Amino acid sequence: MNGWDKPRLLARLVLAGVVAFSVLAAVVPARAQTFKFANQGDAISMDPHSLNESLQLSVTGNIYEPLVARGKNLELVPGLATDWKQTSPTVWRFNLRKGVTFHDGTPFTADDVIFSYQRARGDGSDVKTYVQEIAEIRKINDSAIDVVTKAPFPILPDVISLWYIMSKKWCEDNRAVQPVDKRKGIENTASFRANGTGPFRLRTRDPGVRTTMVRNFNYWDKKIDTNVDEVIFTPIGNASTRVAALLSGEIDMMEPVPVQDVGRVGASPNLKVMQGPELRTIFLGMDQKRDELLFSSVKGKNPFKDRRVRLAFYQAIDTNAIQKAVMRGASTPSALMIAPGIKGFPADLNKRLPYDPEASKKLLGEAGYPQGFEVGMNCPNDRYVNDEDICKAVATMLARVGVKVSLMTETKGTYFPKILSRNTSFYLLGWTPGTYDSHNPLNALMATPDDKTGRGQFNLGSYSNAKVDDLTAQIASETDQAKRNQMIREAMKIHEDDVGHLPLHQQALAWAMKKSVTLVQLADNFMPLKYVVVKDAKKGD
């Protein structure tokens, strides 16, 4: 699909936004409550199938909805499906919510679910992993479907909680049948406009500058908490500027709070800080597929194919020093690619090998690199807590064992398309299992990449072990939790012994807001706006 002419498209979108808002203005209460919040980065697109990244899914998840949603404790709750059950080992019956309409007034039906399945599994989709185990979806009637899985798949409801449903008619009318493919620089109407069923509707979109949403007063759930009628989301990359905006009252809430500013912000009489554990693991990946790295002084071979080199990198990195100096205590070093709290977490394996630069040098020498080598490292500077500083610290530590790192940092808007195309030798990434189950990172991060099925879609260094692949497939269909946990442990142990990736830590959440704001902080770092309440100082309520 060809990209749209951007200037003409933007002009049409602005006009559409003005028309839509003029209609909405008639139904918005006179004392509209506005909520203004900021993040260090922006959602890259409004297309809910274009990027499987937490911030993007968090923002678009207020506009679009899944069949099965998450509650205030991350428990499964009805979304666009009112209930679901297995009618056979490979068939799930979902009864769809009746009377729901998309923001443009089009009724929501089974046809939209089937279309969204085909779209999510098609070319350009970044959410294939959520529908990977589905063989087909059969329409029973407009309000019921059968989801047929390729094999018994007991965690299907958990897996599809981040697969958002789009309007078939809207996508067809707006030439957005295929997802936006950020890797190829392709955009379409869904990049800038949106038409979901969620509690908020997109009003205007200025990428990298501002996104505004307004309340959907036709939303099917009349009992949601929020009293907010307008939302203004502003990406503010500079940490000091972001803090200043909150202190001055320009915004109502921000995240993340720079670790060095948590105390100062919390001490402000009009502000409060919410801190808690996050389920995200920050790790490093290495290209283990190419015969020669894209960015390296080593020619004719790939040092990362040698386990000794990967282990040398592991033992050259002092995660305790990163925790203390870079994260200021706001992280928990990890030996695994998952966090405690994820189903199947094998706690006994979460023991890091010691930081040992001398052992690292010895390993490099044994691998044929006694003087080390040079390698390029890709890193975002506006996605994770202190991401660029983490990469700088890693580069410094590796330099002590002879590895010269050429650090390439950039905004996530260009970073993700680059590394998702696997144009990297060494990179930093963070991962929160959207299913809160160990199968997700095994399938997405550690299984051998298969572009057709979506397996290993985020295994960007192409780590591969056939036994891990076999276990991942078995874990997907195993219904005995004890057996399943044992298989998860075995797969994690193989990956750990292989040094398939270099896990660093789980970062901690730190959000700050005015004391007049009440919201729910979820361990997956999503922020459902339907839980946000802003106290009106003028009314005193």
Side-chain angles (χ1 to χ4, degrees):
M1 181 180 292
N2 294 325
W4 284 61
D5 179 73
K6 195 167 183 179
R8 285 182 9 192
L9 175 59
L10 286 173
R12 290 174 60 190
L13 298 178
V14 170
L15 176 60
V18 170
V19 173
F21 181 61
S22 65
V23 173
L24 287 169
V27 296
V28 174
R31 296 183 65 86
Q33 196 66 262
T34 298
F35 175 62
K36 297 172 288 184
F37 74 106
N39 191 289
Q40 63 181 352
D42 192 12
I44 294 177
S45 170
M46 291 294 99
D47 188 328
H49 300 158
S50 66
L51 184 64
N52 186 18
E53 185 254 345
S54 295
L55 177 59
Q56 175 139 330
L57 292 172
S58 177
V59 172
T60 57
N62 293 295
I63 299 168
Y64 293 98
E65 296 180 287
L67 297 179
V68 183
R70 296 280 175 180
K72 294 181 179 179
N73 296 305
L74 295 179
E75 77 280 14
L76 293 179
V77 298
L80 290 176
T82 56
D83 58 88
W84 51 91
K85 65 178 180 179
Q86 276 186 283
T87 57
S88 77
T90 59
V91 179
W92 290 75
R93 171 65 56 86
F94 287 83
N95 289 311
L96 306 181
R97 195 174 295 279
K98 297 178 181 179
V100 175
T101 60
F102 287 93
H103 296 159
D104 65 354
T106 303
F108 159 68
T109 72
D111 292 332
D112 300 302
V113 179
I114 294 171
F115 166 78
S116 296
Y117 161 64
Q118 294 168 340
R119 192 178 193 272
R121 67 193 290 266
D123 291 342
S125 169
D126 206 42
V127 297
K128 291 179 182 178
T129 186
Y130 299 127
V131 297
Q132 172 189 332
E133 299 300 326
I134 299 175
E136 65 172 319
I137 298 180
R138 300 170 183 163
K139 178 179 177 179
I140 307 304
N141 54 52
D142 280 349
S143 300
I145 57 170
D146 278 346
V147 176
V148 183
T149 57
K150 299 174 182 176
F153 193 53
I155 60 170
L156 177 69
D158 297 272
V159 171
I160 62 174
S161 63
L162 289 177
W163 166 46
Y164 298 152
I165 306 303
M166 300 184 73
S167 164
K168 179 177 185 291
K169 182 179 184 301
W170 185 86
C171 287
E172 290 175 344
D173 289 348
N174 289 277
R175 303 182 189 178
V177 171
Q178 290 181 288
V180 172
D181 192 339
K182 299 300 292 185
R183 295 169 182 78
K184 298 179 181 178
I186 296 173
E187 293 180 334
N188 60 35
T189 309
S191 303
F192 307 101
R193 291 174 58 192
N195 180 44
T197 59
F200 287 86
R201 46 201 299 168
L202 182 67
R203 184 175 73 183
T204 61
R205 167 75 174 161
D206 190 354
V209 179
R210 182 176 293 104
T211 299
T212 62
M213 292 173 271
V214 292
R215 183 82 166 271
N216 174 20
F217 288 99
N218 291 321
Y219 186 51
W220 56 265
D221 187 353
K222 306 303 181 184
K223 298 180 180 180
I224 56 175
D225 297 346
T226 191
N227 66 341
V228 172
D229 302 313
E230 178 188 45
V231 176
I232 301 175
F233 169 55
T234 307
I236 304 177
N238 183 276
S240 297
T241 304
R242 199 164 62 250
V243 171
L246 182 66
L247 290 171
S248 69
E250 182 181 343
I251 57 176
D252 302 309
M253 180 269 180
M254 60 160 280
E255 66 104 356
V257 182
V259 290
Q260 66 271 17
D261 290 321
V262 169
R264 178 166 70 99
V265 173
S268 173
N270 299 316
L271 302 177
K272 59 184 176 182
V273 175
M274 292 180 69
Q275 293 179 281
E278 185 176 9
L279 296 176
R280 187 191 313 277
T281 297
I282 305 298
F283 63 91
L284 301 171
M286 304 150 286
D287 178 359
Q288 298 168 53
K289 184 176 182 179
R290 287 183 175 86
D291 293 327
E292 180 179 301
L293 294 175
L294 291 176
F295 310 105
S296 174
S297 61
V298 180
K299 302 303 176 184
K301 60 191 299 189
N302 179 349
F304 287 137
K305 288 190 175 186
D306 192 323
R307 178 185 179 276
R308 293 170 297 184
V309 173
R310 302 195 299 272
L311 183 58
F313 272 52
Y314 182 116
Q315 293 202 265
I317 299 170
D318 187 348
T319 55
N320 289 323
I322 291 174
Q323 179 196 42
K324 182 178 179 181
V326 179
M327 301 301 291
R328 302 200 182 194
S331 67
T332 303
S334 178
L336 293 170
M337 296 287 283
I338 55 173
I342 298 300
K343 188 184 295 183
F345 177 78
D348 64 306
L349 296 183
N350 195 27
K351 299 174 183 176
R352 288 190 64 87
L353 292 173
Y355 164 63
D356 192 339
E358 293 307 312
S360 178
K361 291 177 184 178
K362 183 179 178 181
L363 285 163
L364 287 171
E366 292 174 355
Y369 309 99
Q371 305 304 316
F373 58 90
E374 296 181 19
V375 65
M377 181 181 185
N378 295 99
C379 186
N381 57 23
D382 60 359
R383 179 59 194 102
Y384 311 112
V385 177
N386 288 349
D387 42 17
E388 184 174 4
D389 290 338
I390 292 170
C391 292
K392 288 179 178 178
V394 167
T396 299
M397 293 170 184
L398 289 172
R400 294 172 186 155
V401 301
V403 176
K404 182 180 179 181
V405 173
S406 176
L407 192 58
M408 298 172 279
T409 63
E410 58 192 310
T411 177
K412 74 188 191 80
T414 54
Y415 178 75
F416 281 123
K418 179 182 296 180
I419 65 167
L420 290 174
S421 299
R422 296 188 169 88
N423 292 322
T424 181
S425 297
F426 186 39
Y427 61 92
L428 179 135
L429 194 65
W431 190 263
T432 303
T435 63
Y436 315 104
D437 185 277
S438 293
H439 174 264
N440 174 266
L442 283 168
N443 183 67
L445 300 176
M446 292 173 256
T448 303
D450 184 333
D451 291 339
K452 291 184 179 180
T453 66
R455 186 185 67 183
Q457 191 173 3
F458 300 91
N459 181 1
L460 307 180
S462 296
Y463 161 78
S464 181
N465 185 301
K467 183 60 175 176
V468 171
D469 294 343
D470 290 342
L471 286 165
T472 299
Q474 293 175 48
I475 290 163
S477 58
E478 181 56 61
T479 57
D480 184 308
Q481 193 59 50
K483 291 181 181 179
R484 193 172 187 272
N485 286 345
Q486 184 56 41
M487 287 190 287
I488 290 170
R489 185 191 184 282
E490 184 180 355
M492 292 288 182
K493 182 68 165 61
I494 293 170
H495 177 268
E496 189 174 56
D497 290 345
D498 284 346
V499 197
H501 294 79
L502 307 179
L504 297 178
H505 59 244
Q506 280 88 44
Q507 65 183 29
L509 291 173
W511 299 1
M513 66 214 72
K514 294 177 179 178
K515 288 183 176 178
S516 58
V517 173
T518 301
L519 48 74
V520 175
Q521 185 182 67
L522 300 174
D524 61 0
N525 203 27
F526 279 49
M527 190 174 67
L529 295 170
K530 65 182 180 181
Y531 299 142
V532 176
V533 176
V534 178
K535 183 179 179 180
D536 190 333
K538 295 180 180 179
K539 296 173 65 177
D541 57 19

